[in-house]
Amino acid sequence: VKMNYSAVAEFFLMGLSQYPELQLFLFVVCLIMYMIILLGNSLLIFISILDSRLHTPMYFFLGNLSFLDICYTSSSIPPMLIMFMSQRKSISFSGCALQMVISLGLGSTECVLLAVMAYDRYVAICNPLRYPIIMNKVLYVHMAVWSWVIGCLNSLVQTVLTMVLPFCGNNVIDHLTCEILALLKLVCSDISINVLIMTVASIVLLVIPLLLIFLSYIFILSSILRINSSEGRKKAFSTCSAHLTVVILFYGSALFMYMKPKSKFTKASDEIIGLSYGVVTPMLNPIIYSLRNKEVKEAVKKILSRNLNLWKT
């Protein structure tokens, strides 16, 4: 490990640096998106805490997802913004390890959390009478905690196994952030164990949750079609289509990144897809969930009217 530190003290993040004319544009776009992420997700957490009608498992998971998205983007977007505007695009060895452990941990947690949310929707729609008994507070809090534990453990193992490898002076990362795939390309020793663990983790955290989500949605869809009232059917469709949009966006881009055959060079398309699940999905989460949701809209109106009345008096 000592040799590793002496060999590489810092890394240079050269993602999309071959397009200098795009740097300012990317800076502005990512800054605006980051502001929307912070505002949208904070608002969703704030509303779900303040409105007692939203103290349900679904909004508890949504609050977790919003908090996760704020932390996830805060670990990668601010350093990325600095890189866009600076000439010397470097990050220290420990800074790179920290960025990797946070982003990989939170990304892995989101994979599990989205599957947990699908199970919650499945029970709510397919078993509505037993829903309060099945999804009791003990169960849904445990499910959220285990999502975080599994995600963070996976990240810790993969980051440690990557950072102890020799880089032999290779310190130019062809990516916008310290992303594990981009870093493994710099290693000058055998990485077969890392690739094996990553493949297993991708199957456990990407493929299996995705299959469980699709399975739960097949049951959900058949239940929705059996609902007699058109109002009930519309509400169930609205909630589920919002969740499915997020699932397709997030898992689609993550699967493309982690399950395709590895090439030695990072293409610009890989970096754009990296931006997709690193920036675009966290921005869309609160927009998709709140704009399509009557309960959230009503909660916002209630909080605003309460504050307006206080202000008037």
Side-chain angles (χ1 to χ4, degrees):
V1 181
K2 274 183 186 171
M3 188 193 88
N4 194 3
Y5 270 92
S6 60
V8 172
E10 61 179 356
F11 292 101
F12 291 92
L13 296 159
M14 303 310 284
L16 296 175
S17 59
Q18 66 270 42
Y19 307 108
E21 68 283 358
L22 274 181
Q23 302 291 303
L24 183 63
F25 168 75
L26 287 167
F27 175 83
V28 173
V29 169
C30 287
L31 181 64
I32 292 166
M33 284 180 168
Y34 185 50
M35 291 298 155
I36 296 167
I37 289 164
L38 292 182
L39 194 72
N41 286 296
S42 304
L43 195 67
L44 206 55
I45 294 169
F46 185 62
I47 291 162
S48 60
I49 291 169
L50 282 184
D51 197 309
S52 57
R53 288 174 304 172
L54 303 185
H55 292 176
T56 62
M58 179 177 136
Y59 288 99
F60 175 73
F61 293 134
L62 264 180
N64 268 272
L65 189 66
S66 289
F67 177 67
L68 191 149
D69 283 336
I70 289 170
C71 298
Y72 179 62
T73 50
S74 297
S75 75
S76 57
I77 298 179
M80 203 193 293
L81 294 174
I82 296 164
M83 297 298 165
F84 285 142
M85 297 318 286
S86 65
Q87 292 299 308
R88 187 179 162 80
K89 301 172 188 292
S90 66
I91 185 169
S92 69
F93 185 91
S94 53
C96 189
L98 186 66
Q99 192 182 68
M100 194 198 293
V101 83
I102 293 170
S103 59
L104 188 60
L106 297 173
S108 307
T109 303
E110 184 153 343
C111 291
V112 185
L113 198 58
L114 288 173
V116 164
M117 286 169 76
Y119 175 73
D120 172 63
R121 292 300 80 215
Y122 160 73
V123 178
I125 291 165
C126 299
N127 223 331
L129 298 175
R130 297 195 62 224
Y131 178 69
I133 303 156
I134 298 168
M135 287 303 282
N136 57 67
K137 196 167 186 176
V138 175
L139 180 70
Y140 73 73
V141 169
H142 269 93
M143 286 169 99
V145 169
W146 276 107
S147 300
W148 286 88
V149 170
I150 292 163
C152 294
L153 278 176
N154 167 56
S155 168
L156 211 58
V157 170
Q158 290 208 50
T159 303
V160 169
L161 287 176
T162 301
M163 298 316 267
V164 296
L165 293 167
F167 292 99
C168 307
N170 300 327
N171 65 349
V172 177
I173 301 172
D174 196 10
H175 209 271
L176 292 162
T177 57
C178 281
E179 205 272 330
I180 191 162
L181 290 174
L183 225 79
L184 283 172
K185 288 173 187 172
L186 307 182
V187 174
C188 56
S189 68
D190 181 40
I191 58 162
S192 52
I193 295 233
N194 302 70
V195 172
L196 177 70
I197 289 170
M198 189 183 286
T199 307
V200 171
S202 297
I203 291 164
V204 171
L205 297 170
L206 281 171
V207 181
I208 293 173
L210 195 56
L211 288 173
L212 290 172
I213 288 168
F214 280 121
L215 198 65
S216 68
Y217 274 96
I218 290 165
F219 287 117
I220 285 169
L221 215 68
S222 63
S223 277
I224 288 173
L225 296 171
R226 285 202 301 270
I227 295 172
N228 291 325
S229 73
S230 62
E231 186 59 42
R233 213 176 309 153
K234 202 174 152 192
K235 191 185 173 188
F237 257 124
S238 173
T239 309
C240 295
S241 57
H243 186 201
L244 264 181
T245 310
V246 172
V247 164
I248 291 161
L249 273 168
F250 180 77
Y251 283 99
S253 48
L255 277 168
F256 182 87
M257 287 287 286
Y258 291 96
M259 296 300 282
K260 66 183 173 60
K262 309 287 177 285
S263 62
K264 192 70 188 161
F265 303 100
T266 311
K267 295 189 285 296
S269 63
D270 289 9
E271 288 160 41
I272 300 299
I273 283 155
L275 274 178
S276 163
Y277 75 85
V279 182
V280 181
T281 314
M283 181 189 74
L284 292 179
N285 279 355
I287 297 170
I288 289 167
Y289 280 114
S290 54
L291 289 182
R292 298 178 58 92
N293 206 311
K294 211 160 107 185
E295 289 161 336
V296 174
K297 285 180 199 166
E298 280 171 10
V300 172
K301 278 180 200 163
K302 191 178 150 188
I303 290 161
L304 285 174
S305 63
R306 196 193 301 159
N307 287 344
L308 278 170
N309 291 334
L310 280 170
W311 190 61
K312 279 174 188 171
T313 53

